[in-house]
């Protein structure tokens, strides 16, 4: 069964960087069987109804400003897969998840920056999926769980976001890690490894520094979505964690 993953996508410039985290992403394909397709939830696509991307060939969305000129020249012309789009919508409907289809939206940087590091050839079908910050954390988990059977079909499911993502707290020149960010991530790690879903659903009330780490939830949601896909076996493994700019968390979780 194909594992599913949560990848932090950091700043858009991550696609140009050479560090331990980007090395892990670049080498990912060397240690993972090539998937039949990739299903990716991006923190940067928010909709009130769970939406499934179905563009024949995705355009590249540059949903950021002030970064290197090179980024605005990059493209990731992945194609969708009509039959898989229909299967995903059927699974959502079966599990009571209201859903819709979008045949025009491209890939935002939460999707293409990660995919360009993982599979730079853009030769694997991609199904982009939205997130909805107004659902409960348990509902997020259930949305992921609804897609779990795709893993048996060699479909790679990815949640792209960030556990500690507070742009107003970043220190662009800092090489020190803020203690509050580590404390929050340590708490998240302990609950994931125990598969304490109930505690994770209440992370805002229970986790230290939750409000500072997660001022808005759209970047945290993909972690719960990816976790939900692993509900059958309930095995979470941290593959990497590091920080940029004081507290921007770069982490990778594998769910078996």
């Amino acid at each position: 069964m194909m594992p599913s993953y949560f990848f932090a996508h950091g700043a858009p410039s991550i696609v140009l960087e050479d560090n331990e985290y980007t090395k892990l992403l670049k080498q990912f394909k060397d240690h993972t069987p090539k998937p039949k397709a990739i299903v990716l939830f991006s923190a940067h696509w928010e909709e009130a109804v769970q939406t499934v991307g179905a563009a024949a060939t995705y355009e590249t969305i540059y949903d950021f400003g002030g970064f290197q000129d090179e980024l605005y020249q990059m493209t990731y012309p992945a194609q969708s897969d009509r039959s898989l789009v229909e299967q995903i919508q059927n699974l959502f409907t079966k599990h009571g998840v209201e859903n819709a289809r979008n045949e025009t939206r491209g890939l935002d940087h939460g999707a293409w920056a990660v995919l360009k590091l993982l599979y730079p050839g853009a030769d694997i079908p991609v199904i982009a999926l939205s997130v909805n910050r107004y659902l409960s954390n348990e509902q997020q988990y259930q949305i992921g769980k609804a897609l779990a059977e795709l893993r048996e079909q060699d479909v790679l499911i990815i949640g792209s976001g960030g556990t500690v993502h507070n742009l107003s707290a970043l220190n662009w020149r800092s090489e020190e890690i803020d203690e509050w960010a580590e404390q929050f991530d340590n708490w998240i790690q302990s609950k994931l490894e125990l598969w304490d879903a109930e505690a994770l659903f209440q992370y805002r009330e229970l986790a230290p520094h939750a409000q500072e780490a997660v001022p808005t939830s759209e970047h945290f949601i993909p972690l719960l979505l990816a976790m939900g896909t692993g509900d059958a076996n309930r095995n979470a493994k941290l593959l990497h964690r590091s920080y940029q700019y004081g507290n921007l968390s770069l982490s990778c979780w594998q769910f078996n």
Side-chain angles (χ1 to χ4, degrees):
M1 182 182 292
M2 180 75 71
S4 51
Y5 294 86
F6 170 80
F7 292 108
H9 58 247
S13 54
I14 191 172
V15 74
L16 300 176
E17 296 170 3
D18 183 20
N19 53 48
E20 290 303 311
Y21 184 58
T22 59
K23 287 177 184 176
L24 179 143
L25 271 61
K26 290 174 183 177
Q27 295 171 2
F28 179 83
K29 63 182 182 300
D30 300 329
H31 308 292
T32 306
K34 186 174 182 177
K36 182 181 76 172
I38 300 169
V39 172
L40 187 146
F41 292 92
S42 173
H44 289 275
W45 184 12
E46 294 191 69
E47 299 284 357
V49 172
Q50 178 61 62
T51 306
V52 183
T57 300
Y58 292 100
E59 294 183 358
T60 305
I61 302 173
Y62 307 104
D63 52 334
F64 48 82
F67 286 89
Q68 299 95 320
D69 291 343
E70 185 178 350
L71 288 176
Y72 302 92
Q73 309 305 316
M74 289 186 173
T75 61
Y76 196 83
Q79 296 183 346
S80 187
D81 181 309
R82 180 71 60 171
S83 63
L84 184 54
V85 167
E86 293 176 357
Q87 183 181 3
I88 289 170
Q89 289 197 271
N90 288 337
L91 286 172
F92 282 148
T93 300
K94 174 183 175 181
H95 290 272
V97 179
E98 184 183 2
N99 61 90
R101 184 183 302 190
N102 186 316
E103 299 188 359
T104 60
R105 190 183 190 277
L107 297 177
D108 56 68
H109 82 271
W112 68 258
V114 169
L115 292 173
K116 200 165 184 68
L117 289 167
L118 295 174
Y119 297 102
D123 57 348
I124 301 171
V126 173
I127 311 300
L129 296 178
S130 68
V131 301
N132 179 359
R133 72 172 78 181
Y134 299 106
L135 300 178
S136 71
N137 291 325
E138 184 172 7
Q139 286 174 306
Q140 312 290 0
Y141 184 95
Q142 294 299 326
I143 288 172
K145 186 177 177 180
L147 300 183
E149 68 182 64
L150 296 178
R151 296 172 53 206
E152 301 173 3
Q153 303 168 30
D154 296 326
V155 173
L156 173 62
I157 303 176
I158 295 172
S160 174
T163 51
V164 181
H165 189 274
N166 185 341
L167 299 184
S168 66
L170 296 185
N171 183 340
W172 295 92
R173 295 179 177 83
S174 176
E175 296 182 2
E176 300 293 324
I177 302 171
D178 291 336
E179 186 175 350
W180 60 266
E182 281 194 297
Q183 289 178 357
F184 176 80
D185 268 341
N186 287 340
W187 187 92
I188 295 298
Q189 179 178 349
S190 69
K191 302 310 176 187
L192 282 169
E193 290 175 343
L194 292 170
W195 209 274
D196 189 347
E198 291 303 319
L200 284 164
F201 296 160
Q202 301 176 68
Y203 76 90
R204 282 205 174 276
E205 294 76 30
L206 301 178
H209 310 290
Q211 185 56 46
E212 195 166 8
V214 189
T216 57
S217 62
E218 75 285 345
H219 276 76
F220 192 86
I221 288 167
L223 177 68
L224 297 171
L225 292 162
M227 183 187 183
T229 68
D231 181 78
N233 295 328
R234 301 190 171 191
N235 185 346
K237 182 179 181 181
L238 180 64
L239 302 184
H240 178 92
R241 192 173 87 199
S242 59
Y243 297 86
Q244 292 181 318
Y245 317 122
N247 53 67
L248 183 62
S249 179
L250 299 178
S251 57
C252 173
W253 281 94
Q254 175 180 294
F255 300 101
N256 292 104

